[in-house]
């Protein structure tokens, strides 16, 4: 990948260059451009959140492949995801806009196909963003419920978890309503909280417990409690833990209209968030797995959160609860950043008229320069997706699969189109040079594989309560977007729209500046 970095020698572009490029794409600078390259990276790193994804689905890993699956699927999936991120980053550098993936697809597809390709990419992105927000904040609610149960006897039941989820989403809606400055500050803090948190958890679990599992157990022991007879099948479906965690890094693209030097900072945010998470997550998973004291107790824990049980068994109630609090705070940071990225995607898609009620969702608060209505669209949508958990305990696994499939379909469409473009692709200042096409091809193949894997049933026998409803959710989105397209949108949706002439764009910006505080 030797040709990734040389273009950076050109130096950072001034903020007015960001505005000029945005105008070239047809948009006014409506959002406040206050984010640095580090803040842009911080949002994606926070959404990936190894202290959220790794720990939230750790129980799934314990029964679907066990220690060997947990430990080895992480670096394998992480490297393959890095190809997806590299391909996305190269396209992001060419089109640094909040629209992100659906905008990329519209510009890379043939003129004839651009509207429909952009339409479906946008809807899969929107579904995936909402689902990943649900998964993150639902995981935070599960962990918080476990802590409250241990500390105050607030039992871990579905109604209690859903109540906590509602409170968390309201909190994240309010934080994002305050403005991008709050999101930027908290995301910057979150980076260090995650890195130090991983080191603290692994360090404590390494030096405090008197007993640890053997290296042979951690790196080679395979567990299959799914009911399926094929270990190969279980090995493949077991990668959900890793693949789900490596989601949300498209946030760096969605936040690009609020980032300085976006054509370089956005791509770097995508790639850096993946490889840093790869290293931190692997360290965390190995450390937690070595600390397992009683495997059966961890799997069937009354808290409903296996990592919490592992912490308590290894350290006692006080130490276990302190480590649990570290994870909960990280998950709250993660959900806040996810709502921010989700709202920007909704804002941009609505700006181009693609979402019902688009005028409402595209509206920008003139005081905070943030899409406040889109923030609450994201929060309410995430809550609605979680409601089935009240009746079906497998709903959370389905939501995580929907997040992976929805997002990764949207992730790979522009990469595949970039592959088809070949040398005709107009590279931005951050690019992969001659490696661009091979990387895009590998990314496309990997996404095709995981889309199939995560629609497969995870438990046998398959019943109404164990059925993988991911396929239903994906078909609903395809059906909704398809019918909406055929009945109405094909007559008016032409892809990303131009907001106006240079003079009109500057007039929009001047009006917003008058109302800003």
């Amino acid at each position: 990948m030797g040709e990734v970095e040389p273009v950076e020698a050109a130096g950072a572009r001034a903020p007015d260059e960001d505005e000029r490029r945005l105008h070239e794409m047809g948009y006014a600078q409506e959002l406040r451009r206050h984010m640095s390259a580090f803040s842009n990276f911080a949002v994606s790193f926070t959404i990936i959140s190894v202290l959220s994804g790794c720990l939230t689905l750790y129980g799934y890993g314990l029964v679907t492949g066990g220690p060997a699956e947990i430990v080895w699927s992480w670096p394998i999936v992480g490297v393959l995801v890095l190809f997806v991120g590299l391909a996305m980053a190269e396209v992001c550098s060419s089109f640094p806009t909040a629209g992100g993936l659906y905008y990329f697809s519209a510009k890379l597809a043939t003129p004839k196909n651009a509207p429909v390709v952009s339409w479906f990419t946008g809807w899969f992105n929107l579904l995936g963003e909402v689902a990943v927000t649900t998964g993150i904040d639902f995981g935070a609610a599960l962990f918080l419920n476990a802590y409250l149960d241990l500390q105050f006897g607030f039992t871990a039941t579905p109604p209690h978890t859903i109540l906590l989820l509602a409170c968390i989403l309201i909190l994240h809606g309010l934080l994002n309503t305050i403005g991008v400055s709050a999101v930027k500050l908290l995301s910057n803090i979150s980076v260090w909280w995650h890195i130090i948190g991983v080191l603290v958890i692994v360090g404590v679990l390494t030096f405090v417990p008197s007993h640890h599992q053997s290296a042979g157990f951690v790196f080679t022991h395979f567990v299959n409690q799914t009911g399926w007879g094929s270990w190969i099948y279980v090995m493949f479906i077991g990668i959900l833990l890793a693949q789900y965690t490596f989601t949300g890094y498209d946030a760096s693209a969605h936040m690009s209209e609020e980032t300085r030097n976006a054509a370089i900072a956005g791509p770097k945010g995508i790639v850096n968030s993946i490889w840093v998470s790869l290293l931190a997550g692997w360290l965390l998973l190995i450390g937690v797995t070595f600390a397992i004291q009683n495997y059966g107790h961890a799997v069937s824990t009354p808290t409903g959160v296996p990592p919490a049980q592992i912490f308590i068994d290894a350290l006692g109630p006080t130490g276990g609860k302190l480590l649990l609090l570290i994870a909960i705070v990280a998950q709250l940071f993660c959900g806040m950043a996810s709502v921010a990225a989700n709202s920007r995607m909704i804002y941009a898609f609505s700006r181009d008229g693609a979402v019902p009620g688009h005028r409402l969702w595209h509206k920008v608060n003139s005081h905070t320069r943030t899409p406040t209505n889109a923030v609450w669209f994201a929060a309410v949508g995430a809550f609605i997706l979680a409601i089935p958990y009240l009746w079906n305990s497998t709903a959370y696994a389905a939501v995580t699969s929907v997040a992976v499939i929805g997002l990764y379909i949207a992730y790979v469409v522009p990469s595949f189109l970039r592959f088809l473009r070949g040398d005709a692709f107009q590279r931005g200042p951050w690019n992969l040079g001659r490696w661009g096409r091979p990387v895009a091809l590998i990314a496309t193949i990997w996404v095709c594989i995981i889309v199939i894997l995560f629609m497969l049933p995870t438990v046998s026998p398959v019943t109404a309560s164990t059925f993988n409803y991911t396929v239903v959710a994906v078909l609903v989105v395809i059906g909704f977007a398809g019918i909406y397209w055929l009945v109405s949108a094909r007559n008016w949706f032409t892809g990303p729209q131009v907001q106006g002439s240079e003079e009109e764009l500057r007039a929009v910006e001047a009006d917003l500046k008058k109302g800003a505080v």
Side-chain angles (χ1 to χ4, degrees):
M1 305 290 174
E3 297 185 36
V4 174
E5 296 292 346
V7 291
E8 257 183 274
R13 296 181 298 173
D16 60 330
E17 177 66 12
D18 287 308
E19 186 177 294
R20 183 193 66 78
R21 181 68 184 106
L22 191 61
H23 285 188
E24 286 179 355
M25 291 186 284
Y27 298 128
Q29 183 66 60
E30 295 181 297
L31 305 178
R32 182 171 282 140
R33 198 177 287 272
H34 275 188
M35 299 186 75
S36 65
F38 180 81
S39 297
N40 183 282
F41 151 78
V43 172
S44 283
F45 179 72
T46 297
I47 297 177
I48 293 176
S49 181
V50 295
L51 287 172
S52 177
C54 288
L55 297 182
T56 304
L57 281 183
Y58 192 83
Y60 175 85
L62 288 176
V63 299
T64 315
E69 177 79 20
I70 291 171
V71 170
W72 290 114
S73 67
W74 182 265
I76 293 170
V77 170
V79 169
L80 289 165
V81 166
L82 191 56
F83 280 93
V84 180
L86 285 166
M88 182 194 298
E90 184 177 49
V91 180
C92 176
S93 184
S94 296
F95 309 108
T97 172
L101 308 170
Y102 84 88
Y103 187 96
F104 303 164
S105 297
K107 296 305 178 183
L108 294 173
T110 62
K112 179 181 178 181
N113 297 323
V116 67
V117 172
S118 175
W119 175 265
F120 278 95
T121 302
W123 277 105
F124 271 109
N125 195 190
L126 195 152
L127 165 73
E129 292 276 3
V130 173
V132 83
T133 301
T134 302
I136 291 165
D137 277 354
F138 187 84
L142 282 173
F143 273 58
L144 181 58
N145 205 164
Y147 177 82
L148 294 175
D149 189 4
L150 292 168
Q151 187 68 29
F152 304 108
F154 188 72
T155 54
T157 63
H160 285 171
T161 302
I162 292 296
L163 174 62
L164 291 173
L165 172 64
C167 295
I168 291 170
L169 284 167
I170 290 171
L171 171 64
H172 289 156
L174 291 173
L175 287 172
N176 277 276
T177 298
I178 292 172
V180 73
S181 295
V183 174
K184 179 180 71 171
L185 173 63
L186 292 172
S187 294
N188 290 351
I189 294 171
S190 171
V191 171
W192 301 110
W193 184 275
H194 275 81
I195 292 174
I196 296 172
V198 167
L199 294 176
V200 168
I201 290 173
V202 173
V204 170
L205 292 179
T206 299
F207 294 107
V208 175
S210 58
H211 168 75
H212 291 90
Q213 296 292 341
S214 67
F217 175 86
V218 172
F219 293 103
T220 66
H221 187 60
F222 190 85
V223 176
N224 177 12
Q225 297 180 13
T226 64
W228 294 109
S230 171
W231 67 269
I232 296 176
Y233 180 85
V234 174
M235 180 185 69
F236 277 112
I237 63 174
I239 66 171
L240 176 61
L241 184 158
Q243 191 66 62
Y244 166 68
T245 305
F246 285 112
T247 53
Y249 46 86
D250 58 314
S252 288
H254 295 307
M255 303 300 290
S256 61
E257 290 183 31
E258 295 160 90
T259 302
R260 297 186 294 272
N261 196 19
I264 292 176
K268 288 184 66 177
I270 292 169
V271 176
N272 290 341
S273 67
I274 295 172
W275 74 258
V276 174
S277 296
L278 195 163
L279 297 178
W282 203 18
L283 179 65
L284 176 66
L285 290 171
I286 291 173
V288 172
T289 306
F290 265 114
I292 295 174
Q293 307 295 304
N294 185 320
Y295 201 93
H297 198 201
V299 171
S300 58
T301 172
T303 67
V305 176
Q309 195 63 56
I310 293 170
F311 295 162
I312 292 168
D313 290 346
L315 307 173
T318 301
K321 285 184 282 189
L322 286 174
L323 294 193
L324 188 59
L325 276 176
I326 292 174
I328 291 169
V329 172
Q331 291 165 358
L332 293 175
F333 279 132
C334 177
M336 174 210 65
S338 182
V339 169
N342 190 359
S343 65
R344 270 51 173 190
M345 191 276 153
I346 294 166
Y347 154 81
F349 208 31
S350 299
R351 178 172 60 186
D352 292 322
V355 182
H358 59 89
R359 288 183 178 84
L360 178 64
W361 313 125
H362 166 235
K363 188 175 181 180
V364 174
N365 186 310
S366 61
H367 294 285
T368 63
R369 299 285 294 274
T370 54
T372 303
N373 295 339
V375 165
W376 292 103
F377 180 114
V380 173
F383 181 75
I384 291 171
L385 271 186
I387 291 176
Y389 179 71
L390 291 170
W391 303 281
N392 188 333
S393 61
T394 62
Y396 178 65
V399 165
T400 56
S401 293
V402 168
V404 170
I405 291 174
L407 284 178
Y408 272 88
I409 288 176
Y411 285 4
V412 84
V413 171
S415 299
F416 178 63
L417 293 172
R418 181 264 175 273
F419 170 77
L420 295 179
R421 278 279 179 125
D423 293 337
F425 171 69
Q426 295 185 355
R427 297 182 177 93
W430 191 103
N431 64 78
L432 301 173
R434 61 191 175 89
W435 295 102
R437 290 194 78 195
V439 166
L441 180 60
I442 294 170
T444 302
I445 293 171
W446 176 242
V447 172
C448 290
I449 292 171
I450 63 173
V451 166
I452 295 171
L453 288 180
F454 296 148
M455 289 192 187
L456 299 175
T458 58
V459 178
S460 178
V462 179
T463 65
S465 61
T466 62
F467 181 75
N468 186 349
Y469 288 94
T470 304
V471 65
V472 176
V474 171
L475 288 175
V476 167
V477 175
I478 293 174
F480 169 78
I483 293 171
Y484 192 8
W485 173 260
L486 292 172
V487 172
S488 176
R490 66 190 178 99
N491 297 318
W492 50 263
F493 183 76
T494 57
Q497 300 175 4
V498 174
Q499 284 183 298
S501 65
E502 181 73 19
E503 292 72 21
E504 290 169 327
L505 297 179
R506 294 198 179 280
V508 170
E509 293 163 356
D511 287 341
L512 283 169
K513 288 177 182 177
K514 289 177 183 177
V517 292

